[in-house]
Amino acid sequence: MMKKYILILLATLALVTSCDNWLDVRGENIQKEKDQFENYKGFRDALTGCYMEMASTDAYGQRLTMTDIEDMGNMWYMNASESSNPERYYLYHHKYSEDDARPSIKAIYGKLFNVISSANVLIKNLEEKGGNVGDETKRAVLTGEAYAIRAYCQFDVLRLFGQIPQNATKQVSLPYSYTTSIAEMPQYYSFTDYVANLKKDVQAAEDNLKNNDPIFSSTFNELNSVSDGADDYMCYRQSRLNYWAVRALHARMALYLGEKQEAHDIAMEIINAKGADGNAVMALSGSDDLTKGYNALPSECLFYLSKYDVNTYANKVLIGGLTSQAREGNMFLTSQMLTDLYASIPGSTASHNRYLNWWNRQTRNPSAQVCPTIKKYWYDETKATSSYLTTKYQIIPMLRMSEVYLMAMETSESLDEIHSLYDAYMSQCQYTLYTPFATVEDAHKEMINEYRRELFAEGQMFYVYKRTGATKMMSNTDDTMTEDDYILPLPSSEYDSNK
């Protein structure tokens, strides 16, 4: 059952806590490697540990979704004075070498490689001791997910610390880790070779998951309803890097690298794919989820991370749905910033369900000015149905169908196809007053605005700016972005091979 699965997750958390030294990226569970992989349960627990590490505060549990990465994308309001919150201020202005910015960068880098190292241990043992799993199909699924986890994190190492993907004048070599020991430094690769490694890992994940993933024989909804006696670890595929999530990751990677036709083809493949019941593998969501208070849109998540304490961050850091006073430590907008966010779709504030349901416009600052805060991760604990806590409320979206649609539209060269996709997309937003695009170029331009609106607080806009070579960010007209501003420096205790 799902409750049993969550208990396994929580128990495994103790095994994956990072050591005090950030360079010890191996995870305490790896120290027990000799006994860990003697049976199927041991492999399952190791994989669960990887997902738990991904959901930690220093990775996708906060820094790479809600806070640090969104400051770097200039998504949140920032006080003009650096003294109020120097860490956030320097990230916002891309002054990465400042002492107050370094701990954040160091924490992100260390946690990403913590996850990668744990995935490497799992991959190695699946190769050497995979027979202990006892079922070749399950072994393939575990292997596919382990490769996918490594690719997911290594891709974000590239997006954070690597050179800009198009027309780079500054070349950066980065570590692509296959190591399992803290005594081994990973090898550094040029951009081209690094990308080749990424593609190999994504391909390995797809090859192992294809036709082995339970999603080929059951729908996502069926797998979210576990019957007694079932192997629940092979269920709840949305909380894992299943085959279709890996395909979406592949499309995201292709778009970032400028391989637009491939990104388009994969995105359309996902949109048109049929599940075991003959219906779409996964459809867009919006009205149904938001009406029920599922603010993170779980029904359209191809992959989400379970995080039982997500409401803690939603209340304390993001304020969420609380009627509270916004202070310097909170993440919020000004009223003008929220207006600007939706300005390209006139009249949307009357009906657009994201605007109406995601944004709390009751929060005020100490001067009594309205400071909109986001409710994407917040839920009313007095109304949340306990049986759905772990699958509907306590989640962090990692790959959603909305992003798949945006990728398809941004890369399509057919105005008719774009309009068809946009109709479906905006229908789920309950906004129908838009004017059809005059040209393909107009549509592509508007998709950047949609990324900004739709994926707010999911940690993607900094990368959109980076891959498009933007010189300005929407909420910061003072700073002009340079190539260096898009390249985070490797932590000072790590070998930096920037050239």
Side-chain angles (χ1 to χ4, degrees):
M1 297 297 187
M2 188 63 181
K3 290 182 179 179
K4 177 182 176 184
Y5 175 58
I6 295 300
L7 288 175
I8 294 173
L9 288 176
L10 296 178
T12 307
L13 180 58
L15 298 176
V16 300
T17 302
S18 300
C19 299
D20 291 337
N21 185 342
W22 77 275
L23 278 176
D24 186 356
V25 296
R26 226 178 138 202
E28 293 178 10
N29 58 323
I30 299 171
Q31 297 173 15
K32 301 180 180 181
E33 181 181 341
K34 182 178 179 180
D35 300 323
Q36 174 88 46
F37 301 106
E38 296 304 313
N39 52 49
Y40 174 45
K41 182 181 182 301
F43 283 96
R44 293 189 329 183
D45 290 351
L47 183 60
T48 299
C50 292
Y51 287 114
M52 289 297 292
E53 288 178 277
M54 290 181 79
S56 70
T57 302
D58 287 338
Y60 303 101
Q62 183 178 327
R63 290 188 187 273
L64 288 178
T65 49
M66 311 173 195
T67 58
D68 296 19
I69 189 66
E70 295 295 68
D71 276 335
M72 287 187 279
N74 291 178
M75 301 295 280
W76 298 114
Y77 166 76
M78 180 56 57
N79 192 298
S81 171
E82 64 187 78
S83 62
S84 59
N85 194 319
E87 178 183 7
R88 289 192 57 205
Y89 178 89
Y90 290 127
L91 291 176
Y92 182 93
H93 291 290
H94 312 102
K95 298 181 183 295
Y96 307 125
S97 61
E98 295 289 341
D99 288 343
D100 289 299
R102 289 175 181 173
S104 173
I105 297 170
K106 191 176 183 180
I108 291 169
Y109 183 89
K111 181 51 65 175
L112 285 174
F113 276 99
N114 188 283
V115 179
I116 292 165
S117 183
S118 295
N120 288 344
V121 171
L122 181 54
I123 291 169
K124 184 193 78 170
N125 282 278
L126 281 163
E127 292 172 351
E128 297 176 356
K129 301 180 180 179
N132 292 340
V133 173
D135 183 299
E136 284 304 309
T137 297
K138 292 178 180 178
R139 177 182 180 178
V141 171
L142 296 173
T143 301
E145 289 186 47
Y147 274 107
I149 289 170
R150 184 167 74 189
Y152 196 106
C153 293
Q154 289 279 183
F155 179 42
D156 281 349
V157 169
L158 180 70
R159 294 201 291 178
L160 288 165
F161 300 93
Q163 65 198 54
I164 61 173
Q166 304 295 322
N167 304 313
T169 63
K170 181 175 182 179
Q171 309 299 315
V172 181
S173 296
L174 291 175
Y176 202 100
S177 178
Y178 298 99
T179 67
T180 60
S181 169
I182 60 174
E184 297 177 62
M185 285 294 291
Q187 182 177 339
Y188 278 64
Y189 295 87
S190 67
F191 180 84
T192 300
D193 291 339
Y194 190 102
V195 168
N197 291 338
L198 263 180
K199 291 182 176 180
K200 287 178 183 176
D201 274 354
V202 170
Q203 189 63 56
E206 290 175 349
D207 289 346
N208 277 281
L209 290 168
K210 190 168 187 178
N211 299 321
N212 291 310
D213 194 321
I215 199 58
F216 286 99
S217 57
S218 303
T219 67
F220 280 109
N221 285 335
E222 288 170 344
L223 291 168
N224 288 341
S225 303
V226 185
S227 60
D228 291 338
D231 178 10
D232 58 356
Y233 200 77
M234 286 293 148
C235 299
Y236 302 100
R237 297 301 295 161
Q238 288 173 274
S239 67
R240 310 262 291 281
L241 276 160
N242 60 80
Y243 176 78
W244 292 111
V246 175
R247 290 298 281 164
L249 174 63
H250 194 158
R252 179 190 282 178
M253 184 176 72
L255 180 56
Y256 184 79
L257 298 173
E259 299 166 353
K260 293 185 178 182
Q261 187 60 54
E262 182 172 16
H264 172 267
D265 292 348
I266 296 173
M268 292 304 298
E269 174 194 342
I270 298 169
I271 291 169
N272 294 324
K274 302 299 181 184
D277 60 356
N279 297 317
V281 162
M282 182 167 288
L284 289 164
S285 181
S287 54
D288 290 344
D289 274 355
L290 292 172
T291 298
K292 296 173 183 175
Y294 305 156
N295 291 332
L297 303 183
S299 297
E300 69 161 54
C301 284
L302 289 162
F303 171 44
Y304 62 70
L305 289 171
S306 295
K307 190 168 180 64
Y308 73 95
D309 57 349
V310 69
N311 220 22
T312 300
Y313 302 106
N315 288 332
K316 292 185 177 180
V317 180
L318 305 181
I319 298 179
L322 301 179
T323 302
S324 180
Q325 189 179 85
R327 300 186 182 280
E328 291 301 336
N330 300 132
M331 321 299 277
F332 54 85
L333 303 183
T334 64
S335 291
Q336 187 60 53
M337 289 173 70
L338 182 59
T339 297
D340 292 344
L341 194 63
Y342 286 84
S344 67
I345 42 175
S348 58
T349 57
S351 63
H352 199 292
N353 59 23
R354 270 63 161 168
Y355 179 87
L356 296 175
N357 290 279
W358 276 350
W359 293 98
N360 173 10
R361 298 179 300 283
Q362 306 304 312
T363 306
R364 297 179 181 272
N365 66 13
S367 300
Q369 297 171 314
V370 173
C371 294
T373 57
I374 198 163
K375 298 192 293 182
K376 183 175 286 187
Y377 297 101
W378 175 85
Y379 62 92
D380 187 340
E381 295 182 358
T382 66
K383 297 180 180 179
T385 306
S386 59
S387 58
Y388 290 129
L389 277 177
T390 56
T391 58
K392 302 295 185 182
Y393 298 102
Q394 298 172 343
I395 68 168
I396 296 176
M398 299 287 275
L399 289 157
R400 290 200 285 122
M401 282 301 294
S402 287
E403 183 183 357
V404 173
Y405 270 75
L406 294 177
M407 288 190 290
M409 289 185 281
E410 186 189 349
T411 54
S412 177
E413 295 300 327
S414 166
L415 196 56
D416 287 342
E417 181 179 69
I418 292 172
H419 283 147
S420 176
L421 293 168
Y422 199 59
D423 284 344
Y425 174 81
M426 293 306 273
S427 175
Q428 281 302 313
C429 295
Q430 294 179 296
Y431 176 71
T432 60
L433 300 177
Y434 60 89
T435 302
F437 300 112
T439 66
V440 168
E441 290 72 22
D442 289 343
H444 291 175
K445 183 178 179 180
E446 181 58 20
M447 290 312 109
I448 304 302
N449 293 324
E450 283 295 340
Y451 282 111
R452 191 183 291 110
R453 283 189 287 268
E454 184 67 25
L455 302 180
F456 203 108
E458 293 182 38
Q460 295 303 316
M461 200 59 207
F462 177 78
Y463 306 131
V464 173
Y465 284 131
K466 184 170 182 175
R467 68 172 170 80
T468 57
T471 57
K472 292 287 184 180
M473 293 184 173
M474 183 176 181
S475 297
N476 180 5
T477 57
D478 294 331
D479 295 346
T480 297
M481 293 296 291
T482 67
E483 206 167 325
D484 285 340
D485 293 331
Y486 285 117
I487 305 172
L488 276 64
L490 297 177
S492 57
S493 51
E494 175 64 81
Y495 170 61
D496 187 342
S497 62
N498 292 0
K499 299 177 182 178

